[in-house]
Amino acid sequence: HLFKRKLATQEELFHTFNTLHSAGKQIILSSNVNPMLLECVEDRLISRFEWGIVLNLNKQTDSNLPSKILSTRLSFYDIQIKKNLHDFLLKNFQSPSSISKAIESIIFRGNKMVIDLELVQPILNKLISQYDKNSINPNKIIELVAEVFGIKKDDIATGDSQSQNDSLPRQIAMYLIRQQLNLPFIKIGDIFKKNHSTVMHSIKKIHQGLESRNPDITYYINQLKTKF
């Protein structure tokens, strides 16, 4: 992405890439977007970038963070819980806010006893249901897109129509699923019964529309983001 519009540099990179590849050398490149979404980079370079394995790199997080937060909150409220409840909380509540909310929901049971899962599970199950209802998932995104465009959800998810009325909502849904949930292109393709190339093309089209400030695309994306 740093070579954007640098035609002379791209020309040198093209020849360097070919030389290294022909020599059987390993080439590792990184960018801030998938190769398909690179702007102002020659197609012949993008094609070569896709020859190998494309991996998404996510920021590393502390896998023990939920456990640390749980211990801190239990200590703060001076309550003890049994192992079955401890494991249940870590399995179903991962974010700091959700862990705190779960602990607060069982505080009234008292802090002079060791709380068992069976005692508070109905309360926690209700909390989990609320989180599931409000959580963003592919189906929820498709429903919101259908609502904003005033069409049926099935027309987006499984429809084969290539008309603008159906294709634009479908492309926007693919873009938002990728952006919000970071699902692989193949997985998104499975959802829409499309191959990964179609998914990548659709996402690139919406990305370019936002970059060029296409009024239709910008309007609908902003409408949908407020619903999230």
Side-chain angles (χ1 to χ4, degrees):
H1 65 282
L2 298 177
F3 298 148
K4 182 178 182 179
R5 296 193 178 91
K6 297 180 179 179
L7 299 182
T9 304
Q10 290 184 35
E11 179 71 21
E12 293 301 324
L13 177 60
F14 175 77
H15 294 299
T16 302
F17 188 104
N18 288 344
T19 299
L20 292 172
H21 185 267
S22 297
K25 302 295 184 181
Q26 184 181 56
I27 304 171
I28 301 176
L29 300 167
S30 66
S31 67
N32 60 3
V33 294
N34 187 280
M36 277 291 292
L37 301 179
L38 287 170
E39 298 286 342
C40 301
V41 175
E42 293 184 12
D43 289 341
R44 60 179 181 171
L45 275 174
I46 293 177
S47 174
R48 280 159 175 75
F49 297 160
E50 295 177 329
W51 281 356
I53 299 174
V54 179
L55 298 175
N56 182 54
L57 302 181
N58 293 314
K59 183 178 180 181
Q60 290 286 338
T61 57
D62 184 356
S63 59
N64 293 321
L65 184 59
S67 181
K68 293 176 182 177
I69 293 173
L70 177 57
S71 297
T72 300
R73 302 310 287 173
L74 291 173
S75 176
F76 178 81
Y77 289 113
D78 191 24
I79 58 176
Q80 293 181 302
I81 62 176
K82 290 188 176 180
K83 187 178 186 304
N84 60 354
L85 176 54
H86 182 278
D87 294 342
F88 183 86
L89 289 171
L90 288 181
K91 179 181 178 181
N92 294 280
F93 302 92
Q94 290 291 313
S95 69
S97 60
S98 65
I99 292 174
S100 295
K101 183 72 173 178
I103 295 299
E104 290 168 4
S105 69
I106 63 176
I107 288 176
F108 74 94
R109 293 296 180 181
N111 59 12
K112 300 301 182 183
M113 57 182 290
V114 180
I115 303 175
D116 184 74
L117 173 60
E118 184 178 355
L119 183 65
V120 295
Q121 187 161 11
I123 300 170
L124 295 177
N125 285 343
K126 184 177 180 180
L127 198 58
I128 292 171
S129 295
Q130 291 175 350
Y131 281 126
D132 289 341
K133 182 179 179 180
N134 296 325
S135 65
I136 295 297
N137 55 59
N139 189 58
K140 183 72 172 179
I141 290 175
I142 293 172
E143 286 180 352
L144 290 174
V145 172
E147 178 184 328
V148 167
F149 278 89
I151 60 179
K152 296 179 180 178
K153 186 179 74 170
D154 289 345
D155 291 338
I156 298 177
T158 58
D160 292 323
S161 173
Q162 297 302 315
S163 70
Q164 181 73 1
N165 290 338
D166 293 332
S167 63
L168 180 59
R170 189 179 304 119
Q171 290 167 348
I172 287 179
M174 290 178 179
Y175 172 83
L176 290 173
I177 290 174
R178 174 68 176 177
Q179 183 191 59
Q180 298 291 323
L181 305 176
N182 200 29
L183 291 186
F185 294 115
I186 293 178
K187 179 64 176 177
I188 298 174
D190 290 342
I191 295 171
F192 293 90
K193 305 296 188 293
K194 305 292 182 183
N195 61 55
H196 77 284
S197 296
T198 300
V199 174
M200 294 174 75
H201 173 75
S202 298
I203 293 173
K204 183 176 183 179
K205 184 175 181 179
I206 300 302
H207 180 79
Q208 290 174 335
L210 291 173
E211 287 284 317
S212 63
R213 299 187 181 279
N214 180 297
D216 288 336
I217 293 176
T218 302
Y219 170 79
Y220 285 118
I221 291 294
N222 289 336
Q223 286 284 100
L224 287 157
K225 284 189 174 181
T226 59
K227 290 183 175 294
F228 293 155

